[in-house]
Amino acid sequence: MSRLYSVGELLIDFQSVGVAGLKDTQQFVKKAGGAPANVCVQAVKLGQQATYLTKVGMDAFGEFLVETLSNEGIDVSHISRSAQHDTSLAFVSFAENGEREFSFYRRNAADLYFTEDDFKDISFKRGDVLEFGSVALKTEVAKATHKYLINKARKAGALVCFDPNLRFNLWEDKQELRNVVKEFSSYADVIKVGDDELNFITECEGVKAVNSMFTGNLKVLLVTCGGKGAKVYVDGTLLTTHSGYKVKTVDTTGAGDSFFGAFIAQLMERGATPDNLLSGSMQYDKMLDFACKCGAYTTMNYGAIAAMGNKEKIDKAVK
């Protein structure tokens, strides 16, 4: 059976109790977070096997995170612990419409300092998937480690999937963020990006923005449009669109990760490889429909991992 390997940040989301800005919030609830970890969990809930690749601090927060992923059925044997670095923290508050305000504490985050040696024994095979984002691409050592894993995945015939997941307040220089995302976009077979993120990355809009993404290895581009649905571009051409599902949204945390995890799970079900992504057997319209359904379901409850469901629950709740 194929396996999803997600690499990147693993952090504590301290989520506000009630609706208020961070300045006015009085109480927070501890949750496991990190976009690639959320993607991993959703794929596992949909029947796939997954391994998480990261490093956390030698602290209670790190212990909690490893335990949480393990309880979700994810292989955590490649999550190492560091006594020199901290587990990442994020504080999140919610507005009335479910949108969020973030404050991150990760200048000395352990997931910015994992190395090739941490993942030497990872062996990809054809049909596997390597998925990552931009949050853990902040240091040279982390970038080098991502490249090491990407090269191993490509040589084995595994899919490489990238979600930029832009967090501007983690970068002092927005141009540096843009440059890093552009570089790593060129390594990916599949990219998921928000429509606003797409405009930032490419510095243009519309068809021109989409076309500028199809460089390097990219074959499939997923563009999400918040509550307005999503689009799939294959080999630079708009293949299918979806208007999204209307649900009672209370928290958008993890919705994009759930969407991407569901899409990746369906690619794995269909035996996707870099060589067959352009074939008609992928049924991208059906894949997009279910991915939108999963994203919508996650917004119906608070949190990310805790709000995700399996296929039966999602199909029952979202029509």
Side-chain angles (χ1 to χ4, degrees), residues 93-291:
S93 66
F94 304 99
E96 291 284 355
N97 63 359
E99 289 303 318
R100 301 157 294 164
E101 179 185 355
F102 289 93
S103 184
F104 291 94
Y105 294 82
R106 51 182 283 107
R107 287 189 176 89
N108 190 44
D111 57 65
L112 294 175
Y113 296 98
F114 47 54
T115 69
E116 295 179 15
D117 288 338
D118 291 311
F119 310 125
K120 282 290 187 185
D121 58 343
I122 293 293
S123 296
F124 298 100
K125 63 182 183 297
R126 193 170 187 80
D128 286 344
V129 176
L130 174 65
E131 184 269 338
F132 65 101
S134 72
V135 171
L137 294 174
K138 192 71 170 60
T139 61
E140 292 304 317
V141 64
K143 285 189 285 187
T145 303
H146 278 76
K147 290 178 184 179
Y148 166 77
L149 289 167
I150 290 167
N151 288 335
K152 287 184 74 170
R154 298 209 67 83
K155 287 178 181 178
L159 274 181
V160 178
C161 299
F162 180 38
D163 174 7
N165 188 35
L166 304 181
R167 293 289 179 259
F168 294 109
N169 54 347
L170 292 177
W171 298 76
E172 297 78 16
D173 184 348
K174 288 186 178 181
Q175 186 58 47
E176 179 189 2
L177 170 60
R178 182 182 287 115
N179 292 342
V180 168
V181 169
K182 283 184 175 180
E183 177 187 357
F184 280 84
S185 292
S186 70
Y187 306 144
D189 300 296
V190 179
I191 293 176
K192 191 276 284 184
V193 64
D195 49 2
D196 55 338
E197 294 177 319
L198 178 63
N199 295 340
F200 169 80
I201 294 165
T202 64
E203 299 180 89
C204 49
E205 298 181 3
V207 175
K208 189 175 181 181
V210 170
N211 289 340
S212 68
M213 292 294 291
F214 280 88
T215 59
N217 297 294
L218 184 62
K219 300 171 185 68
V220 178
L221 177 68
L222 312 173
V223 180
T224 57
C225 308
K228 297 180 180 179
K231 304 173 183 179
V232 177
Y233 295 86
V234 176
D235 201 23
T237 300
L238 178 61
L239 184 67
T240 185
T241 65
H242 197 288
S243 59
Y245 285 92
K246 305 303 179 186
V247 297
K248 185 177 181 180
T249 295
V250 298
D251 175 15
T252 59
T253 302
D257 305 329
S258 176
F259 173 95
F260 202 30
F263 199 91
I264 289 172
Q266 292 175 94
L267 286 172
M268 296 170 72
E269 287 175 6
R270 290 165 170 77
T273 69
D275 300 325
N276 64 16
L277 280 176
L278 303 183
S279 72
S281 64
M282 289 296 111
Q283 298 179 301
Y284 286 115
D285 55 341
K286 293 183 179 180
M287 294 169 65
L288 180 62
D289 175 76
F290 186 65

Side-chain angles (χ1 to χ4, degrees), residues 19 23 25 32 45 62 72 177 224 289-290 301 318:
V19 176
K23 181 177 71 67
T25 296
K45 286 182 179 293
E72 291 293 341
L177 170 60
T224 57
D289 175 76
F290 186 65
N301 292 286
V318 183

